[in-house]
Amino acid sequence: MTEEYGNAATAAEGFDAGAHPPGRGAAAHWRTAAEEVADVLAGAGVRRCYTVPGESFLELADAVDRHADLALVSTRHENGAGFMAEAEAKLTGVPAVAAATRGPGAANLAVGVHTARQDSTPMVVFLGQVTSDHLGREAFQEVDLTAFYSPVTKWTTTVTRADRLAETTAQALRVATTGRPGPVAVAVPGDLFGRLVPPARALPGAAPPRPPLSDDDRDRLAEWLATAERPVIVAGGGARNARGELVAAAERYNAGVYTSWRRQDVFPNDHPLYLGHLGLGCPKPVLRALEDADAVLVVGSRLSEITSQSYRLPASAGPGPGSPVAQIDIDPAQVGAVTGVWLGAVADARSALGSLAALPVATPDRDYSEAHHVWERTATAPAEAATHPGGLMHPWAVVEAMRKALPDDAVITNDAGNFAAFLHRGWTYRHPRTQLAPTSGAMGYAVPAAVAAKLVAPHRTVVAAVGDGGLLMTGQELETAVRLGLAITVVVFQNGLYGTIAMHQAREMGRTAGTDISGPLDLAGYARGLGALGATAANPVELADALDAALAAELPTLVDVRTDPDVISPEATMSGLLGGA
C-alpha cells in the first residue's frame, strides 16, 4: 500500500522519474514536475520557450514540446535564446521563457537576461543545475546560479523540492509582471524536473495590480499642465500599453511629447506634438523644448542615463513645490529616483493618462509646430547622402532606402552600434509596437529579436538592422529562422569597424586600437551558407532592388550593405575626428 499510494516522505520528495506511477485514486493523477510547470506557464499566457537544449532540464524541454499550447524553440546559442525571449515579451507584454543549462549555458544566457532587466521586460528563466546529491561539490559545470543571477534579475531562487516547482513558477510569473516588469530566474537541480508530484494546489498569482491615479493627484496635475506655459511629457516603456491615452492627454493639454531612449514607438512620430527621441547624440536643437520647459511630466520612464542625457534633464530645482518635474510610474522605486519631483504618483500609465485626458479642461493655446519642425529637420537625410562618392553607401542613404521600401507598420529590430544613430533619426515610428531595441546597448540583439518578432507576428514585415560587428555575434540565428520558415529581412551596415568605440577613440585619443575588423566580408555568402538568401548592395539602386526581393521572398534574406567607415555618426567623420584630435 505504501508503494502504491506513497507515504509522507515520498509525497514530500516526489517519486523518482523512473519509478512506477501510482495506480489508484487521486495519486493516479500525479505527473512530472516538468508537466506541472508547463501547465502553469501555458495558463499564464506564455507561448514559447527559447533554449539550447541541455541535459539538466531534459524533462522540461520534453514537457514544453509536448504541450498543446506551448512551443519549444531551439536556438543556436543561449545568447540568441535570451534575446528572443526578451524581444517576444517586449512585443507582447506577456512573459516568454528561456532555459539554459548549468554554468556555460547560464553564462551565455546572462546577456539577454541583463537586457530584460535594464529594459524592464517580463521574462522567466529556467536554469538547469547539477543534481541535488552533487550540489555544493563544484560538480561538472556547477555554478552558484542564485548568486550569479541575482544582480541581473528581479528575483532568483533555487528550488529544492519537486512538489514546489509549479508553485515557484507561478511566483516567478507574478514577480516578473508586477510593478516594474523584469526577468526572474529559477534554478532547478537536474533530478527534480522528472519526479512525479501531486497536482498543484492553489497557486500564487493574480492579474498584476494597476493602481489608478488618485483624484487629488489627477486634479493637481491637470491644473499644473493647463496653466504651465511650456509643458512637455517624457514617455517611456511604461506607456507602451497607453498609446491612445498618451495621445489623448497630450492633445487635451496641448503638451509636447518626447519619447525616452529606444522607446520611439510609444507616441506617433508624425503627430504635430511629437518633439523627438531622447537618445544618444540627441541634437541640441531637439533638446531645447525640454530645457526650456516649465512643466515636465515623466510617465513610465525610469530616466536612464541616456534618456536623461547623462542625468542632466529634466532639470529640477529639487524636490517639492519648486520642482518643474512630476512623475508617474507603476514602481515606487523609480519615482524621484533620479531627479527631484514636486509630485510623484505610483499609478498605471494607462489609467493615469486616461483620467487626465477625460477631465473637461479647456485646451490651452500653445504652438509646438516649430519644435516639431526642428525634430523633422534632424530626421531628414542630407542631400549629399544620395550621391555619396567612393563606391560605398552613406548610412543615411540606407535608412532612406528602408523608408521607401518598407511598410509603415514594419517591426524594426535594431542592434547596438553607431549605425543605429542614423536609424533612430531617420525612421519614423507611426505605429505601436514597431520598435524592438535594447536600452542596455547589447550587441547581437537584432537578428534574434527579429526571429522572435516573426514568430509572434508572422504576417508582419520584420526587419533587423545590424552592424557587421553585431551580426557576427548572433547571426547564426539565421539558421533558426530558416528552420522555422521565418521570412525576416536583415540589413547589415558593413563598415569594417567596431564603430562606436572607434568614434570615441578618435575623439578622445586621436587614434584607434582594436576597432578595425575584417572587411569587406562576403556576408551574403555567410547567409547563404546558413540556408538563407543573401544580397550585396553598394549603391541605392542595388539596395532598393535587394529590399524589394527580400520583401517578396519566402526565406530569410540578408542584405549586406557596404557603408563608408568614415561617416561614423550623423555629426562626425572619422577623418574629421582624427584630424581634430
Side-chain angles (χ1 to χ4, degrees), residues 319-354:
S323 173
V325 182
Q327 188 171 6
I328 298 172
D329 203 282
I330 201 165
D331 182 1
Q334 299 304 316
V335 177
V338 171
T339 188
V341 299
W342 75 269
L343 187 150
V346 177
D348 171 66
R350 185 174 187 178
S351 173
L353 290 168

Side-chain angles (χ1 to χ4, degrees), residues 165-176:
L165 190 49
E167 174 190 338
T168 303
T169 301
Q171 177 75 349
L173 288 161
R174 188 186 74 83
V175 173

Side-chain angles (χ1 to χ4, degrees), residues 54-377:
E55 63 188 272
S56 55
F57 58 97
L58 300 177
E59 295 86 358
L60 178 64
D62 180 68
V64 169
D65 192 50
R66 290 188 298 107
H67 199 287
D69 295 325
L70 297 173
L72 185 71
V73 180
S74 183
T75 69
R76 300 312 299 261
H77 194 282
E78 289 92 352
N79 200 5
F83 285 146
M84 289 180 199
E86 195 280 340
E88 173 168 334
K90 185 179 287 177
L91 193 62
T92 65
V94 177
V97 169
T101 190
R102 302 185 188 178
N108 287 339
L109 187 69
V111 178
V113 177
H114 177 253
T115 299
R117 179 60 175 162
Q118 288 224 321
D119 284 49
S120 304
T121 305
M123 182 171 158
V124 175
V125 177
F126 287 100
L127 303 172
Q129 182 58 288
V130 303
T131 56
S132 301
D133 56 338
H134 290 166
L135 276 172
R137 294 178 169 179
E138 197 179 351
F140 179 60
Q141 298 184 338
E142 182 180 2
V143 171
D144 183 345
L145 294 172
T146 303
F148 180 15
Y149 264 66
S150 289
V152 295
T153 58
K154 287 187 69 177
W155 178 53
T156 296
T157 188
T158 295
V159 178
T160 57
R161 286 176 43 157
D163 62 337
R164 298 288 298 277
L165 190 49
E167 174 190 338
T168 303
T169 301
Q171 177 75 349
L173 288 161
R174 188 186 74 83
V175 173
T177 55
T178 301
R180 176 188 169 189
V184 172
V186 180
V188 185
D191 54 308
L192 297 191
F193 280 120
R195 291 191 182 182
L196 294 175
V197 297
R201 299 177 182 176
L203 296 173
R210 302 295 183 195
L213 192 65
S214 72
D215 290 348
D216 181 59
D217 285 348
R218 178 201 61 196
D219 293 344
R220 293 169 70 197
L221 285 170
E223 181 181 3
W224 176 66
L225 289 170
T227 58
E229 294 183 8
R230 302 173 302 280
V232 301
I233 298 170
V234 175
R240 184 178 279 115
N241 291 328
R243 184 182 170 100
E245 290 79 5
L246 176 59
V247 171
E251 292 175 346
R252 168 69 70 189
Y253 298 94
N254 202 6
V257 178
Y258 287 93
T259 54
S260 65
W261 167 231
R262 290 186 161 175
R263 295 293 182 262
Q264 291 166 268
D265 61 345
V266 301
F267 191 84
N269 295 182
D270 54 351
H271 193 287
L273 289 174
Y274 181 66
L275 305 184
H277 167 227
L278 298 175
L280 283 167
C282 186
K284 290 182 179 180
V286 170
L287 292 173
R288 192 167 299 132
L290 179 56
E291 292 170 334
D292 294 342
D294 61 343
V296 181
L297 176 60
V298 181
V299 182
S301 177
R302 66 181 180 90
L303 291 179
S304 67
E305 177 188 357
I306 310 303
T307 294
S308 65
Q309 305 295 293
S310 295
Y311 302 110
R312 186 173 64 87
L313 297 172
S316 168
S323 173
V325 182
Q327 188 171 6
I328 298 172
D329 203 282
I330 201 165
D331 182 1
Q334 299 304 316
V335 177
V338 171
T339 188
V341 299
W342 75 269
L343 187 150
V346 177
D348 171 66
R350 185 174 187 178
S351 173
L353 290 168
S355 67
L356 283 170
L359 285 179
V361 299
T363 301
D365 183 17
R366 306 188 187 98
D367 186 2
Y368 282 95
S369 58
E370 178 54 31
H372 179 71
H373 292 328
V374 166
W375 166 77
E376 285 183 321
R377 289 192 287 272

Side-chain angles (χ1 to χ4, degrees), residues 3-46:
E3 285 187 16
E4 186 172 7
Y5 289 102
N7 55 28
T10 55
E13 295 171 3
F15 283 89
D16 290 338
H20 295 292
R24 293 202 302 268
H29 299 291
W30 286 28
R31 302 188 301 162
T32 66
E35 290 172 317
E36 291 290 320
V37 166
D39 271 358
V40 172
L41 294 173
V46 174

